[in-house]
Amino acid sequence: MRSTVSLPSETRSSELIRLGCVCLAALGLVGIGPLCLGEYSVDILIRSFLFGAVAVTLDILWGYTGILSFGQSAFFAIGAYAGGLIFTHLGLTPLDAILAVGIGLIVASLLGALVGWLAFGYGVSDLYVSVATLVLCVVVVRILYAGGTFTGSSSGLSGFTTFDLSMPVWFALTGSFLVIVAALGWLLVHSDAGTLFVSIRENEQRARYFGLATGRIKIALFAAAAAIAALAGFGYASYTDVVAPDLANFKFGTAIVIWVALGGRATLLGPAIAAVLIDFISAYLSGSLPFIWELLVGVVFIAVIVVMPQGLGPGLARGVRSMLPLRSVAPSSAAQLSIASQPVITAQSDHGPSAIAVTALSRHYGSLRVLDDISFTAQAGELVSLVGPNGAGKTTLIRCISDGTERSGGDVAILGCSIGRLTPEYCARLGLGRKFQTPTVFEALTVAQSLRIARARIDPPSLWRRADTINLPQAALQVVQATGLAEQLANPVRSLSHGGKQALELAMVLAAEPRVLLLDEPTAGLTKAERRLIGGILVDLVARHRLCILLIEHDLDFVRQISSRIIVLHQGRIVLDGDVATVVGSELVRTIYAGEPQAIGAMT
Amino acid sequence: MINLLLDILTTAGILFIVSIGLLIVFGVQKIINFAHGAFLTIGGYVALLVTGAHFSPWLAPPVALLAGALIGAIVERVIVRPLYNRPLDAILATWGLSIVVVQLITIGFGRGVQFVTSPVSGAIHVFGADYSLYRLIFLGIAIVLGLAVGLLLRSTRLGLVARAVILNENLARSLGIDSDLVRFMTFVVGAGLASLAGALLTPLLSVDPTMGVTWLLNAFMLVMVSGTSLISLMLACVVLGGAQVVISTFGNPVLGGLTIVVLAAILLRLRPTGFARA
């Protein structure tokens, strides 16, 4: 069964045809380049192409995924030294060459994975990867210096025998390498996996709570980028016949960052072109204007960062496009929504373990006890509302249930599985969905892409394809259609209203098909009609799909209408836990919640 | 033994002086001034100019302080202010500035290594050991400077306002504190202190256009593990600087050079607040 919602969108095949044409044209240029250019230019460009490929890897890391690494130079140097060392100390049989490439790739990707493991652990600051990659550069340079005659110390290795190829062949090889890396990179960033990278850059926390192991994804990406940089480094050593510790220097690492920033972050082609051009011009001018040129690059770099952080590439591209009579390309987006087949939950599952079981849970910050001795259970098919004045610890309780690293004591089990010390993505995999108090969405993605990401754990994203349908469970589809999001699938989330973002986050959480739903003020900022609608959907989820919902709400009318049970939290303790009538009629609640008994009259 | 202890203390003093400007800017602005090393280099060349013109070498540090503050004022207005809300971009832009400064100095003074006259020379007999007099003076300056900056923060109005901005900039703003002015002043002071450090270092080290870069990395790592507290910075300088001295002396100088950055990186991973109280 398919929904009727569809969008005009550019088909994937026409995109691929365009990519193919651009690649063929680029390969053609690489083929005829040596015929038109002077020998010196060819010599320089062979090297520049390799730098261009490294810039592409950094753009995927930094521009798309938000990982600012200063250390691509270290991985480049590892690849280069793998070549240099093997060719110097072993020789140049085909076996040696394969060994050199293999060692370079393995060492670089293992080291990349190690740095990634350090930098992308749960709770480690975003800045840490920049710090760690700076340190990596320093360490690699020092090791190369300390290597004595084995690594050639400060002067490096040179004059080793390397492949005997003519310049045009080298030009074709490194040029094709750049084209292939850029094309594969293009496929990757325009695939569903690429959307996932952007979602990590935009809001890693939100992605984690959809059950996506963002840390592992980043480690894998970082290791892959390290391997490609090492491959480029191997090419560099094989062609230039020189390797020096400066290759690993963080100055080279920051030069790569400069190329990406100048060419335009998250444009892929911009950084590649900027790297090739800047390196090419540098080589030309280093003879006549050695310091002036670097000075100029520095000044332009500052100006670009301050005035046009999107880089020079996008501005230039817009200018060119406005001069050419090209049709404007509609933003592409997943075209259709369809209903996912959901497992039918029978009433039998009610006899299983409790959906949520909290035992003696506590949370304190130093001597401040925010939650103390909280115990309750909630079953499938229950809609439990959590009420209490501001500062009662409601949101903290939700956080402790959805993130095993949060609580100070006690235990939480979801559907019979203890969450132990699991981080949010693994708690989510137990069947938990969480909506945050303030709308937490991916600003730079479109509505359709956001829904796609919310489904990424269930429908794993492809590394090179983009799905043209999104399977949504009935409830998510209902929210999307009823709140008008269905008409805005191709719009960027940034352009949605506050209410639109609230509805989108709820739809995303529902799209992940949770069995236990934690909702922190899901209807704040919505209109009365939308609120009624959401209320209806929640009741339906509980009654028909046997979900368990734990809801924080301040609107007591709303709570009364939809809840099957209410828990009252006050100063970090549960003061009342009972059915709606008991709690609403309770004198204690009136005193706590409204401050004075008569004020609650309107509610009852 | 006395020598080793003095080595540790004076190394900590040097690291403290080199890092304190970066710490102040990081505390208030929440951005990392990657041009810190460049300001340090500027200080070194100011010392070269002052002593080259046959003024007393004692004059070099105060002149460097002023020169750094002046250049810092311009840099704050032109480059740093537009990036208040983009801390990562501020790192990049100040690194760009550092490239520009290094190139300008190279054009003006050449690439080579140069030496600055030292105000004092020779060793002094302390606690039964002969030790470099200048390094001891340096330690004294570090202590005085630490106390001065601490007092500035504790007991002046500027310090009070700066601490308010460090704790909660939005709240400080809503109370009528001109946080832009506070940011401006701290950057000026931070840049001035960096140049002062550069000038103070010249009797110990030669001057060249890239002298700031190695110091930048050490200072950066020390500030990362110290957060925004002077006390933590002092502690970090003594512990990590001490480790560097010990490893260089008894182990291997290559490892010694890596001590601070590697230990700081490991420490940050294990305990993100570093030496600061959680």
Side-chain angles (χ1 to χ4, degrees):
Chain A
M1 180 181 160
R2 287 228 160 140
S3 83
T4 52
V5 188
S6 68
L7 277 170
S9 78
E10 194 185 20
T11 60
R12 185 69 171 167
S13 59
S14 79
E15 271 181 8
L16 289 180
I17 291 169
R18 277 222 326 253
L19 175 68
C21 292
V22 172
C23 284
L24 282 179
L27 288 174
L29 283 179
V30 166
I32 59 165
L35 305 177
C36 327
L37 296 164
E39 195 173 320
Y40 184 61
S41 304
V42 172
D43 180 39
I44 302 299
L45 279 173
I46 291 171
R47 215 185 57 182
S48 308
F49 288 153
L50 294 169
F51 294 157
V54 180
V56 169
T57 64
L58 182 67
D59 192 33
I60 294 174
L61 286 180
W62 179 35
Y64 288 92
T65 322
I67 303 167
L68 176 54
S69 164
F70 293 109
Q72 284 304 86
S73 58
F75 300 119
F76 187 87
I78 285 169
Y81 267 89
L85 287 170
I86 298 273
F87 295 157
T88 305
H89 299 295
L90 285 182
L92 185 74
T93 63
L95 199 66
D96 291 327
I98 293 169
L99 188 67
V101 174
I103 288 178
L105 289 181
I106 290 170
V107 172
S109 45
L110 283 182
L111 196 61
L114 176 71
V115 173
W117 175 75
L118 284 171
F120 308 133
Y122 185 65
V124 178
S125 124
D126 283 345
L127 193 62
Y128 188 83
V129 68
S130 308
V131 175
T133 48
L134 276 179
V135 173
L136 175 72
C137 292
V138 179
V139 171
V140 172
V141 170
R142 284 280 178 163
I143 291 174
L144 293 176
Y145 266 89
T149 48
F150 183 65
T151 60
S153 194
S154 62
S155 48
L157 302 167
S158 59
F160 43 83
T161 19
T162 169
F163 308 104
D164 185 20
L165 300 172
S166 71
M167 294 261 279
V169 174
W170 272 115
F171 192 85
L173 274 177
T174 64
S176 316
F177 178 68
L178 172 58
V179 173
I180 290 168
V181 168
L184 291 179
W186 191 93
L187 279 176
L188 179 64
V189 298
H190 287 85
S191 72
D192 285 328
T195 311
L196 182 57
F197 298 158
V198 177
S199 79
I200 292 174
R201 180 191 77 198
E202 289 292 305
N203 197 332
E204 184 168 0
Q205 156 130 318
R206 181 64 272 180
R208 276 185 192 273
Y209 276 91
F210 288 136
L212 300 169
T214 56
R216 284 193 195 174
I217 294 169
K218 290 205 287 189
I219 292 173
L221 187 63
F222 196 76
I228 293 172
L231 202 55
F234 175 77
Y236 178 90
S238 307
Y239 173 67
T240 59
D241 212 6
V242 183
V243 291
D246 276 355
L247 290 176
N249 203 316
F250 88 94
K251 266 189 214 154
F252 178 39
T254 46
I256 304 168
V257 172
I258 292 176
W259 297 334
V260 174
L262 290 182
R265 287 171 237 183
T267 60
L268 215 60
L269 211 53
I273 294 172
V276 172
L277 275 183
I278 293 174
D279 184 60
F280 182 71
I281 302 173
S282 301
Y284 256 90
L285 294 186
S286 62
S288 47
L289 299 165
F291 307 124
I292 306 272
W293 167 248
E294 278 191 56
L295 181 70
L296 197 70
V297 171
V299 170
V300 173
F301 176 60
I302 298 173
V304 164
I305 291 286
V306 173
V307 185
M308 45 192 306
Q310 76 277 24
L312 293 170
L316 288 176
R318 226 174 293 125
V320 171
R321 208 168 283 152
S322 66
M323 280 187 285
L324 295 174
L326 285 174
R327 67 189 170 83
S328 66
V329 182
S332 47
S333 166
Q336 285 192 311
L337 300 176
S338 73
I339 295 187
S341 55
Q342 268 179 295
V344 182
I345 309 291
T346 57
Q348 210 179 13
S349 56
D350 282 9
H351 300 302
S354 301
I356 307 174
V358 177
T359 339
L361 183 144
S362 68
R363 176 71 175 111
H364 40 84
Y365 300 90
S367 60
L368 180 71
R369 303 188 82 84
V370 177
L371 291 174
D372 204 12
D373 195 23
I374 302 280
S375 295
F376 71 92
T377 59
Q379 312 304 324
E382 269 195 300
L383 199 163
V384 181
S385 286
L386 205 53
V387 302
N390 283 323
K394 303 185 294 293
T395 299
T396 307
L397 177 56
I398 295 256
R399 201 183 304 134
C400 288
I401 296 175
S402 56
D403 179 351
T405 64
E406 274 288 328
R407 67 185 185 281
S408 315
D411 198 32
V412 176
I414 300 299
L415 298 165
C417 295
S418 167
I419 66 168
R421 287 283 160 205
L422 293 181
T423 49
E425 60 266 41
Y426 298 103
C427 292
R429 289 175 181 202
L430 297 176
L432 206 62
R434 176 181 174 192
K435 192 206 158 302
F436 291 86
Q437 189 167 10
T438 47
T440 302
V441 288
F442 307 115
E443 298 277 340
L445 297 186
T446 65
V447 171
Q449 285 173 326
S450 304
L451 291 167
R452 184 77 195 77
I453 293 306
R455 291 283 300 177
R457 191 178 57 82
I458 300 163
D459 299 329
S462 160
L463 288 172
W464 60 88
R465 278 187 316 110
R466 200 163 51 213
D468 49 11
T469 55
I470 308 168
N471 302 316
L472 289 183
Q474 179 90 49
L477 193 63
Q478 222 178 329
V479 174
V480 169
Q481 286 173 334
T483 52
L485 286 173
E487 288 78 49
Q488 306 187 65
L489 286 177
N491 292 1
V493 170
R494 185 175 285 128
S495 70
L496 295 180
S497 66
H498 178 78
K501 287 177 187 171
Q502 285 281 56
L504 175 62
E505 196 190 355
L506 183 62
M508 287 196 290
V509 173
L510 292 175
E513 295 180 16
R515 299 302 309 150
V516 177
L517 203 49
L518 310 175
L519 303 173
D520 201 341
E521 301 192 32
T523 64
L526 297 188
T527 64
K528 198 106 192 161
E530 286 168 327
R531 189 172 271 242
R532 204 173 305 131
L533 177 104
I534 303 270
I537 292 171
L538 297 184
V539 169
D540 190 57
L541 279 172
V542 171
R544 282 210 299 159
H545 300 278
R546 311 301 294 167
L547 257 68
C548 171
I549 299 182
L550 186 62
L551 176 89
I552 297 181
E553 256 305 337
H554 278 299
D555 181 345
L556 288 179
D557 262 338
F558 184 67
V559 166
R560 204 166 50 130
Q561 281 157 19
I562 65 170
S563 308
S564 51
R565 205 173 112 202
I566 300 180
I567 292 176
V568 184
L569 212 57
H570 182 52
Q571 292 177 347
R573 289 175 167 275
I574 292 180
V575 290
L576 208 60
D577 177 354
D579 59 42
V580 178
T582 321
V583 172
V584 168
S586 148
E587 202 67 29
L588 181 68
V589 171
R590 293 184 198 188
T591 326
I592 291 169
Y593 206 81
E596 46 187 340
Q598 59 270 36
I600 210 112
M603 186 182 129
T604 50
Chain B
M1 194 59 210
I2 291 290
N3 253 317
L4 183 70
L5 201 66
L6 286 174
D7 271 345
I8 290 174
L9 286 178
T10 52
T11 303
I14 291 171
L15 290 169
F16 184 78
I17 286 192
V18 165
S19 316
I20 189 169
L22 193 66
L23 180 94
I24 290 174
V25 174
F26 180 65
V28 172
Q29 303 233 15
K30 306 287 181 297
I31 65 165
I32 294 149
N33 174 20
F34 258 41
H36 187 75
F39 280 106
L40 200 121
T41 312
I42 289 173
Y45 278 87
V46 168
L48 187 69
L49 286 177
V50 169
T51 53
H54 303 295
F55 288 109
S56 157
W58 290 111
L59 205 60
V63 175
L65 178 72
L66 284 179
L70 199 70
I71 300 171
I74 300 167
V75 167
E76 208 280 344
R77 282 290 146 125
V78 178
I79 297 175
V80 178
R81 178 152 301 188
L83 301 175
Y84 280 175
N85 296 320
R86 291 190 273 145
L88 271 185
D89 281 2
I91 295 185
L92 298 179
T94 47
W95 176 249
L97 175 69
S98 153
I99 294 175
V100 169
V101 169
V102 169
Q103 294 311 318
L104 284 175
I105 288 178
T106 310
I107 291 167
F109 294 85
R111 261 185 155 154
V113 171
Q114 303 186 59
F115 294 91
V116 176
T117 347
S118 175
V120 292
S121 58
I124 184 177
H125 200 69
V126 277
F127 308 118
D130 286 318
Y131 203 75
S132 153
L133 176 59
Y134 189 76
R135 282 183 77 105
L136 289 175
I137 294 177
F138 207 108
L139 180 59
I141 296 175
I143 293 169
V144 170
L145 197 68
L147 288 175
V149 174
L151 269 175
L152 189 78
L153 280 173
R154 281 282 147 218
S155 41
T156 65
R157 183 164 166 76
L158 177 69
L160 180 70
V161 168
R163 277 187 291 144
V165 174
I166 290 174
L167 289 174
N168 189 336
E169 178 162 1
N170 288 332
L171 184 61
R173 235 178 216 291
S174 66
L175 292 172
I177 290 173
D178 183 355
S179 71
D180 282 2
L181 183 68
V182 175
R183 280 169 170 266
F184 176 75
M185 288 307 294
T186 50
F187 194 88
V188 169
V189 171
L193 287 174
S195 296
L196 174 73
L200 287 171
L201 279 173
T202 50
L204 297 173
L205 300 162
S206 58
V207 172
D208 74 274
T210 57
M211 68 181 275
V213 175
T214 30
W215 290 107
L216 169 70
L217 276 181
N218 280 338
F220 170 65
M221 297 307 290
L222 286 167
V223 169
M224 286 281 99
V225 295
S226 309
T228 54
S229 147
L230 276 179
I231 307 280
S232 322
L233 180 65
M234 216 175 66
L235 205 66
C237 289
V238 173
V239 173
L240 296 182
Q244 176 182 309
V245 171
V246 170
I247 292 177
S248 307
T249 315
F250 300 108
N252 160 327
V254 175
L255 283 180
L258 291 175
T259 309
I260 292 181
V261 288
V262 171
L263 282 187
I266 293 169
L267 181 70
L268 264 184
R269 178 59 168 77
L270 297 177
R271 190 179 142 85
T273 47
F275 283 94
R277 270 168 295 177

